[in-house]
Amino acid sequence: MLLGVIADDFTGASDIANTLAKGLPGQGGLRTVQYLGVPRDKAAAEVEAGVIALKSRSIEPASAIEQSLAALRWLLDQGCRQIVFKYCSTFDSTPAGNIGPVAEALAGELGVKGVIVCPAFPGAGRTIYQGHLFVKDQLLNESGLQNHPLNPMTDADIRRWLRLQTTADVGHVDIGVVYEGSVAVEEALAENARQGRTLVIVDAITDDDLVAIGRAAASHRLVTGGSGIAIGLAAHFIGQGLASGMGAEVIGLEGPEAILAGSCSGATRGQVDLHRKSHPTLAIDVAGVMDGSVTMSNLVSFLLQNQGSAPLVYSSGTPDEVRAIQERFGRENVATALDALFASTARELIKAGIRRLVVAGGETSGAVVSALDLGALTIGAEIDPGVPVLLSGGDRPVALALKSGNFGTPHFFNKALERLAGK
């Protein structure tokens, strides 16, 4: 294994696995496998990039550090020459969050400074300019992410945000340096390291910027960012003749289907609204979940009764609706109850023969795949930017699409089901 990734949630893991497998046009990518948690066994010999998916984004820093260091040690044991710490391209966190602490802990374990921090993903509208994170033409804290139910982002200045989470000063490489090319970026990172800065925000507005940053990071043992940071990393190994350039293959699986949506993002709500017009859908009554009147059996019955029609169950709501239900029952209580509901529903669906499963929302996806315990997942073709086909092994394989809340085109659900069937 050449490159190892530690991802702080399951959709993010799929996102960067897709980027590594796809690689640059004309060059190909890396043979990539996604692992659900830290594996117990060694990686297969043909794996060039291993992505470990953790469910650590919203947990206490101490626990996130412990899990991330365990993942790091396993990846190093597989021979990885470079490690990527992958977090959301919208930097989902809080002032007491764990992105900074985990990045510092990984850097400390590897003995490095001047570590790139770059959540940019231009293909999904996430860019960094003068250390500020934008979602398309809006500052992060004005894009709707300030209303995130678990990790509200109320400041677009990533330098200022990280300084609340870390112990050392945070550096910055501005877009002018990036435009000068990879040598200039590498020199700027080295200077930040000499000045004792562990983490350094690097501006990026286009994919070309990310390729330049990737070249600058070719010899770095640790890189951190969103999935976009991986755009140029595969090319380094392929160019040296260390990797095959084979990347992703077209894979799929025919069979019964179901869609579970737990994200409250604007993109997912729009996808749900569009899907409702021509497919059977069931809105989850969250108050009913909390009082026990809505159970897993209600959801499973609906989905199985509507086989062949791309049925969807969802808990998505507007910011005002989410706020009201959280004030009534408690934010953590609601999140825990919904995670448990989606997890148990997914288990029963797979037992009942569902073979194509689409899941929307990072926390929801984490709950679902943790419950299914599918082992290593093969990375297939891209459905939409950041979302690949995933295929489990074994006698009863399952084809999955794990979508971050803000990702996907309006008709994502139908498109995903087609791709999961290999079409």
Side-chain angles (χ1 to χ4, degrees):
M1 191 182 292
L2 300 167
L3 187 147
V5 179
I6 303 164
D8 68 356
D9 84 335
F10 289 78
T11 55
S14 300
D15 183 1
I16 195 167
N18 174 69
T19 303
L20 289 168
K22 184 169 61 172
L24 291 173
Q27 295 187 18
L30 303 179
R31 289 196 181 101
T32 305
V33 170
Q34 179 173 331
Y35 304 98
L36 308 178
V38 180
R40 292 182 290 271
D41 302 319
K42 288 187 175 182
E46 67 271 15
V47 177
E48 297 169 338
V51 181
I52 295 180
L54 303 176
K55 195 174 186 294
S56 58
R57 177 169 298 171
S58 302
I59 64 177
E60 291 298 316
S63 296
I65 289 170
E66 181 181 7
Q67 292 182 31
S68 300
L69 289 178
L72 171 65
R73 289 161 188 153
W74 185 86
L75 290 167
L76 293 177
D77 285 345
Q78 310 315 303
C80 288
R81 305 182 183 201
Q82 187 170 62
I83 301 296
V84 179
F85 171 39
K86 196 277 176 195
Y87 37 79
C88 188
S89 58
T90 50
F91 215 73
D92 292 2
S93 187
T94 68
N98 61 47
I99 292 178
V102 168
E104 278 193 324
L106 294 172
E109 186 81 1
L110 293 168
V112 295
K113 291 187 180 295
V115 175
I116 292 168
V117 175
C118 187
F121 186 7
R126 278 74 157 165
T127 57
I128 306 171
Y129 177 70
Q130 298 299 350
H132 288 67
L133 185 52
F134 286 79
V135 177
K136 297 183 179 177
D137 63 345
Q138 295 180 308
L139 286 164
L140 179 68
N141 58 304
E142 298 173 0
S143 67
L145 271 297
Q146 69 272 26
N147 298 315
H148 192 288
L150 294 179
N151 298 305
M153 289 299 295
T154 57
D155 191 350
D157 189 333
I158 302 304
R159 293 165 297 181
R160 190 158 52 211
W161 205 251
L162 268 182
R163 285 172 183 144
L164 297 173
Q165 298 181 352
T166 55
T167 58
D169 189 24
V170 178
H172 177 228
V173 177
D174 69 36
I175 194 65
V177 176
V178 176
Y179 286 164
E180 292 178 25
S182 58
V183 173
V185 174
E186 175 58 16
E187 290 175 351
L189 291 169
E191 178 59 27
N192 274 277
R194 283 191 291 270
Q195 294 181 18
R197 299 187 182 106
T198 301
L199 304 179
V200 184
I201 310 296
V202 183
D203 287 353
I205 297 174
T206 68
D207 283 352
D208 287 342
D209 298 335
L210 292 171
V211 172
I213 295 167
R215 292 195 183 109
S219 62
H220 286 213
R221 294 198 72 197
L222 176 65
V223 179
T224 85
S227 64
I229 196 62
I231 286 175
L233 298 183
H236 166 65
F237 295 108
I238 295 169
Q240 286 191 319
L242 299 172
S244 63
M246 297 296 289
E249 56 183 308
V250 176
I251 54 177
L253 188 68
E254 294 281 1
E257 80 290 354
I259 307 168
L260 305 174
S263 169
C264 296
S265 72
T268 297
R269 295 201 312 272
Q271 291 156 354
V272 168
D273 287 343
L274 190 60
H275 198 78
R276 293 172 59 185
K277 294 179 180 179
S278 53
H279 300 87
T281 60
L282 175 66
I284 296 172
D285 176 9
V286 180
V289 175
M290 301 308 294
D291 68 21
S293 60
V294 174
T295 67
M296 169 268 293
S297 61
N298 301 123
L299 276 58
V300 171
S301 295
F302 172 82
L303 291 165
L304 295 181
Q305 288 169 6
N306 287 282
Q307 279 308 290
S309 301
L312 160 72
V313 297
Y314 67 96
S315 65
S316 308
T318 66
D320 287 342
E321 291 169 339
V322 171
R323 191 176 302 111
I325 205 74
Q326 288 179 339
E327 289 175 354
R328 181 177 174 187
F329 296 105
R331 187 180 74 174
E332 294 300 326
N333 292 335
V334 172
T336 299
L338 287 175
D339 279 357
L341 177 65
F342 281 117
S344 60
T345 298
R347 275 195 301 268
E348 290 303 311
L349 289 172
I350 299 306
K351 287 180 184 177
I354 294 296
R355 288 294 169 264
R356 290 180 293 150
L357 185 61
V358 179
V359 188
E363 295 298 321
T364 305
S365 294
V368 165
V369 295
S370 295
L372 296 181
D373 191 24
L374 296 173
L377 301 174
T378 301
I379 309 301
E382 185 176 65
I383 300 168
D384 271 337
V387 191
V389 172
L390 303 172
L391 186 65
S392 70
D395 296 332
R396 302 182 69 192
V398 178
L400 291 165
L402 307 177
K403 184 190 85 73
S404 179
N406 285 297
F407 282 14
T409 51
H411 290 279
F412 174 81
F413 294 136
N414 278 345
K415 186 177 180 180
L417 289 175
E418 290 180 357
R419 294 290 189 275
L420 293 183
K423 299 177 181 178

